[in-house]
């Protein structure tokens, strides 16, 4: 079941699809034909046109969905189809419409000292990956020399820039990028942090984070995984990471005991 971060997610305007980024469509494409999206594109052809023109590499995928929808009956209730589609990407909907809805969730209020106590951030160059609304980045910025927020979602990048200006952080820089394609040279940062990011390809993600970290620097991950000795946890510690548990507080979906990981790069 999708997490309930917004009660009316199923009522999202269909045009919100036009706000999605390359990253979002790349994930949708992994599953081949998305039947709900196929029916939506068939019913609202301009959405398919927009995706194909904004992202030409996805044209064949869009065409395959158009072909699929032509050969099956259109659902009798398109509002149900649209609601089902957005409910399955509820987090993306919030990111591209109102990120503050995410920032206000109780679990985002975890104690910053859980990260800051792991190393000295003073006068350091920090890269924060998948910055979201800035929980880790803004905690680091209090003492760091510079913090580079890597965030692939356009609307979140705008949110981070506005927040940095509102809170008078002139040491925060916001850039586009993903955890497996970081726009930095080898050994660029003193500290690399990531939150709720690692998990799709753990080995490749860790390799890239360690690539941009200086020798003697530290990689810190708070991936949002449950407090469990499962395969996810075992794969991370197989790379030589230390770990501990910490609480993401409150009663919102996603709250609870989580794990954090860190490693000094040699």
């Amino acid at each position: 079941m999708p997490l309930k971060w917004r009660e009316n997610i199923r009522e999202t305007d269909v045009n919100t699809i036009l706000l999605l980024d390359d990253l979002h469509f790349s994930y949708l494409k992994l599953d081949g034909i998305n039947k709900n999206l196929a029916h939506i594109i068939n019913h609202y052809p301009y959405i398919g046109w927009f995706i194909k023109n904004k992202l030409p590499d996805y044209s064949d995928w869009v065409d395959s969905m158009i072909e699929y929808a032509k050969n099956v009956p259109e659902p009798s209730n398109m509002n149900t189809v649209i609601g089902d589609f957005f409910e399955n990407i509820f987090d993306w909907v919030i990111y591209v419409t109102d990120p503050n809805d995410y920032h206000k969730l109780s679990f985002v209020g975890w104690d910053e000292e859980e990260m800051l106590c792991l190393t000295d951030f003073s006068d350091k160059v920090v890269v924060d990956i998948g910055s979201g609304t800035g929980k880790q980045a803004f905690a680091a910025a209090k003492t760091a020399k510079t913090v580079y927020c890597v965030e692939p979602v356009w609307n979140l990048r705008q949110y981070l820039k506005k927040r940095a200006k509102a809170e008078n952080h002139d040491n925060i820089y916001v850039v586009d990028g993903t955890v497996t394609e970081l726009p930095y040279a080898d050994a660029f940062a003193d500290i690399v942090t990531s939150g709720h990011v690692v998990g799709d390809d753990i080995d490749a993600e860790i390799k890239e984070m360690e690539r941009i970290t200086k020798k003697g620097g530290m990689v810190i991950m708070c991936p949002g995984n449950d407090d469990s000795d499962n395969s996810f946890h075992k794969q991370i510690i197989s790379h030589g990471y230390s770990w501990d548990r910490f609480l993401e507080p409150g009663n919102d979906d996603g709250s609870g005991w989580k794990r954090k990981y860190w490693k000094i790069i040699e």
Side-chain angles (χ1 to χ4, degrees):
M1 287 290 293
L3 304 182
K4 292 185 178 180
W5 290 355
R6 182 187 287 170
E7 290 297 327
N8 61 345
I9 203 77
R10 294 186 61 86
E11 300 171 14
T12 303
D13 189 298
V14 68
N15 291 311
T16 303
I17 294 172
L18 306 181
L19 301 178
L20 296 178
D21 290 281
D22 187 352
L23 177 74
H24 301 134
F25 288 114
S26 71
Y27 277 116
L28 290 170
K29 186 174 180 288
L30 289 175
D31 295 327
I33 293 174
N34 183 299
K35 294 180 181 179
N36 287 327
L37 182 57
H39 287 303
I40 292 170
I41 289 174
N42 185 59
H43 195 81
Y44 302 97
Y46 68 88
I47 291 178
W49 179 92
F50 179 86
I51 297 171
K52 291 175 67 172
N53 282 273
K54 180 181 180 182
L55 303 167
D57 290 345
Y58 294 78
S59 291
D60 290 345
W61 173 60
V62 172
D63 286 339
S64 71
M65 288 191 289
I66 292 172
E67 190 63 27
Y68 164 81
K70 285 180 179 178
N71 292 294
V72 296
E74 179 171 295
S76 58
N77 191 333
M78 281 304 299
N79 287 333
T80 298
V81 173
I82 294 167
D84 289 345
F85 177 75
F86 285 126
E87 191 171 53
N88 286 324
I89 59 167
F90 67 96
D91 49 347
W92 299 351
V93 172
I94 291 172
Y95 299 154
V96 303
T97 54
D98 188 357
N100 207 45
D101 283 353
Y102 173 82
H103 195 65
K104 291 185 294 186
L105 292 169
S106 60
F107 61 80
V108 179
W110 54 268
D111 186 355
E112 295 172 351
E113 285 302 316
E114 292 285 358
M115 181 186 78
L116 299 178
C117 72
L118 297 176
T119 189
D120 184 6
F121 283 76
S122 300
D123 204 35
K124 299 292 177 36
V125 174
V126 179
V127 172
D128 181 58
I129 304 165
S131 291
T133 56
K135 173 65 177 184
Q136 297 182 173
F138 282 74
K142 293 175 182 177
T143 58
K145 179 180 179 180
T146 52
V147 177
Y148 295 90
C149 297
V150 179
E151 175 51 59
V153 178
W154 183 90
N155 202 42
L156 289 174
R157 292 198 299 274
Q158 308 317 303
Y159 180 95
L160 289 164
K161 291 176 183 179
K162 291 177 182 177
R163 183 181 171 192
K165 184 175 181 179
E167 298 182 18
N168 297 314
H169 284 295
D170 59 3
N171 59 341
I172 289 179
Y173 301 88
V174 183
V175 301
D176 189 6
T178 65
V179 65
T180 52
E181 294 185 11
L182 297 172
Y184 301 104
D186 296 353
F188 174 82
D190 298 298
I191 302 170
V192 173
T193 63
S194 67
H196 291 237
V197 171
V198 173
D200 290 328
D201 189 346
I202 293 174
D203 294 338
E205 292 158 352
I206 287 177
K207 181 179 179 181
E208 182 70 346
M209 286 189 289
E210 293 184 358
R211 177 187 68 79
I212 69 166
T213 308
K214 297 176 182 178
K215 289 184 178 181
M218 181 177 284
V219 175
I220 300 172
M221 294 181 283
C222 299
N225 58 316
D226 292 333
D227 184 22
S228 172
D229 291 335
N230 53 22
S231 58
F232 182 101
H233 171 78
K234 292 175 181 177
Q235 189 171 357
I236 291 180
I237 64 174
S238 73
H239 287 270
Y241 281 76
S242 301
W243 69 278
D244 201 353
R245 60 204 299 264
F246 72 104
L247 180 65
E248 292 190 345
N251 298 313
D252 287 324
D253 287 346
S255 298
W257 286 98
K258 308 294 181 179
R259 293 190 173 180
K260 59 182 179 179
Y261 303 86
W262 65 93
K263 176 182 175 181
I264 296 175
I265 304 303
E266 299 178 350

